[in-house]
């Protein structure tokens, strides 16, 4: 999710922007918006007093769409194409703050040709960077067992095996090329959704998108990059949109903000026990009624904020972060 710019005929509202700006105030110095999207968080940070914002995104289209308004900020806005897992190198200097808005952006969902949405027909793509293997490649080439693992681990889809079996049977007749073609097969495997329930294809499309873009690998690497880049006193603000993302962010911040345990409280504190972050606040922030009314897509969003200490950055023990099984296989 992201952005307060106009895309097509609809405004894209940055989720939890008001509580985010309040939680990190006063805003000053150099910030990185690691998920630039339509620029909503970047504009908010610049309006609140950031001297410079480095806008980072893996999707080249976002910079084309920002060209009409980005120049009004002059040297205060610097745009860099790349992944937020590389934000410390892309920023090139110590940062006063980092904002990460996880998941697919509203802008990407609303463009049928990007292939993220099961509500609009388009090519089965889902690549945020527009490079590498697409969703069609995974759906048409992965084994039935691999597909079932992706759907279960990344989408928490209980009917994963049934859906994977149906996908393999359908692609034997005709390879998958479009979003509605895939959504139609998934719908045949699940009960019709009742009013107020999510679409039957929601979990499966989420899972395939996560696999295409290595979102969990990027998330951990991005949090580590933020830890490396932030100055002492710098703020890290992360907005998540589903429980798996939030669980990983929560456990990362808990692990990097605790002083450890198991030893004698009278023993000298070791260098590796010094916390790298302070949780500010300690609990996640969710949408209020005004936010939900303005932006229904915010209903599952959570904001977590932490302040960097003077402790040196360290590698994360990824085994303890609650990563899905597939993501864990690809780490270390």
């Amino acid at each position: 999710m992201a952005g307060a710019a106009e895309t097509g005929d609809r405004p894209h509202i940055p989720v939890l922007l008001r509580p985010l700006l309040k939680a990190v105030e006063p805003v000053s110095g150099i910030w990185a918006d690691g998920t630039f999207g339509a620029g909503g968080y970047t504009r908010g940070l610049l309006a609140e007093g950031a001297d410079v914002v480095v806008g980072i995104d893996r999707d080249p289209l976002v910079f084309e769409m920002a060209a009409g308004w980005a120049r009004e900020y002059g040297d205060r806005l610097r745009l860099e194409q790349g992944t937020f897992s590389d934000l410390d190198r892309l920023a090139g200097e110590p940062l006063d703050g980092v904002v990460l808005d996880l998941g697919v952006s509203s802008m990407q969902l609303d463009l049928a040709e990007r292939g993220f949405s099961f509500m609009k027909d388009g090519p089965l793509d889902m690549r945020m960077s527009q490079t590498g293997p697409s969703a069609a490649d995974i759906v048409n080439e992965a084994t039935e067992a691999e597909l079932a693992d992706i759907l279960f681990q990344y989408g928490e889809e209980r009917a994963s095996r049934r859906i994977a079996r149906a996908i393999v049977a359908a692609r034997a007749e005709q390879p998958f090329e479009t979003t509605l073609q895939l959504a139609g097969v998934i719908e045949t495997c699940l009960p019709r959704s009742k009013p107020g329930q999510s679409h039957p294809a929601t979990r499966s499309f989420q899972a395939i998108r996560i696999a295409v873009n290595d979102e969990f690998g990027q998330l951990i690497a991005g949090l580590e990059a933020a830890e490396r880049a932030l100055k002492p006193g710098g703020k890290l603000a992360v907005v998540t949109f589903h429980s798996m993302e939030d669980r990983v962010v929560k456990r990362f911040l808990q692990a990097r903000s605790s002083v450890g345990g198991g030893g004698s409280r009278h023993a000298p504190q070791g260098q590796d026990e010094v916390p790298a972050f302070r949780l500010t606040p300690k609990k996640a922030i969710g949408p209020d009624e005004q936010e939900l009314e303005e932006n229904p897509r915010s209903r599952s969003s959570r904001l977590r904020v932490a302040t960097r200490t003077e402790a040196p950055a360290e590698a994360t023990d990824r085994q303890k972060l609650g990563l899905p099984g597939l993501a864990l296989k690809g780490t270390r």
Side-chain angles (χ1 to χ4, degrees):
M1 320 288 290
E6 294 282 343
T7 307
D9 58 356
R10 295 178 54 197
H12 291 270
I13 304 168
V15 171
L16 298 177
L17 177 61
R18 286 189 302 271
L20 187 153
L21 293 174
K22 183 176 180 180
V24 302
E25 64 183 4
V27 177
S28 62
I30 304 170
W31 283 68
D33 180 352
T35 45
F36 180 73
Y41 294 96
T42 289
R43 291 193 194 206
L45 292 167
L46 289 167
E48 286 296 307
D51 298 318
V52 175
V53 174
V54 183
I56 300 168
D57 207 295
R58 64 165 79 178
D59 187 345
L61 179 61
V62 305
F63 301 119
E64 295 178 24
M65 301 183 75
W69 59 265
R71 63 175 63 94
E72 70 187 67
Y73 292 100
D75 294 339
R76 297 181 66 205
L77 174 57
R78 178 159 60 89
L79 302 179
E80 297 282 353
Q81 184 178 348
T83 58
F84 59 66
S85 59
D86 203 20
L87 69 85
D88 52 334
R89 184 188 66 81
L90 292 170
E93 56 191 317
L95 298 173
D96 295 279
V98 172
V99 173
L100 300 177
D101 174 21
L102 305 179
V104 67
S105 72
S106 302
M107 181 175 61
Q108 290 164 333
L109 281 173
D110 291 341
L111 293 172
E113 62 268 27
R114 299 302 301 275
F116 288 99
S117 176
F118 45 76
M119 303 299 291
K120 301 177 180 180
D121 203 16
L124 191 56
D125 193 324
M126 300 192 193
R127 296 172 298 174
M128 293 180 182
S129 65
Q130 301 185 36
T131 61
S134 67
D137 293 326
I138 289 178
V139 170
N140 288 317
E141 297 173 11
T143 67
E144 181 177 325
E146 288 169 340
L147 285 171
D149 281 346
I150 288 171
L151 298 179
F152 183 75
Q153 295 287 350
Y154 292 158
E156 298 181 320
E157 174 54 73
R158 288 177 290 183
S160 58
R161 292 182 181 179
R162 189 186 321 148
I163 294 170
R165 193 178 310 118
I167 287 173
V168 170
R171 78 188 187 191
E173 301 294 327
Q174 181 181 357
F176 285 90
E177 297 180 352
T178 71
T179 53
L180 292 190
Q181 183 184 1
L182 177 59
V185 170
I186 295 169
E187 285 183 271
T188 65
C189 300
L190 297 169
R192 180 175 297 179
S193 57
K194 299 177 182 178
Q197 292 182 330
S198 58
H199 189 282
T202 299
R203 293 179 181 272
S204 295
F205 268 63
Q206 170 189 296
I208 294 167
R209 187 203 80 220
I210 288 172
V212 167
N213 296 289
D214 183 29
E215 291 182 28
F216 282 103
Q218 285 292 315
L219 172 54
I220 296 303
L223 293 171
E224 292 174 335
E227 182 176 326
R228 294 192 300 268
L230 284 166
K231 300 176 183 177
K235 301 294 179 66
L236 170 62
V238 186
V239 178
T240 63
F241 290 90
H242 59 76
S243 59
M244 288 187 294
E245 287 177 342
D246 183 59
R247 183 165 61 240
V248 172
V249 175
K250 177 182 179 180
R251 290 182 178 176
F252 174 87
L253 292 177
Q254 286 178 335
R256 304 302 291 129
S257 63
S258 67
V259 295
S264 170
R265 63 187 179 91
H266 300 292
Q269 189 176 52
Q271 181 83 0
D272 60 344
E273 293 179 320
V274 179
F277 287 98
R278 290 183 294 105
L279 303 182
T280 50
K282 292 185 177 181
K283 294 185 178 181
I285 299 170
D288 58 20
E289 291 185 9
Q290 181 182 351
E291 180 98 28
L292 290 169
E293 184 176 345
E294 292 175 349
N295 191 357
R297 284 174 170 168
S298 71
R299 64 187 178 277
S300 62
S301 62
R302 294 292 181 270
L303 165 66
R304 294 187 184 273
V305 179
T307 301
R308 189 70 170 88
T309 71
E310 295 183 355
E314 296 182 0
T316 309
D317 184 351
R318 300 185 179 192
Q319 298 280 342
K320 298 180 179 179
L321 295 182
L323 289 168
L326 290 173
L328 198 57
K329 292 176 186 177
T331 62
R332 289 236 184 250

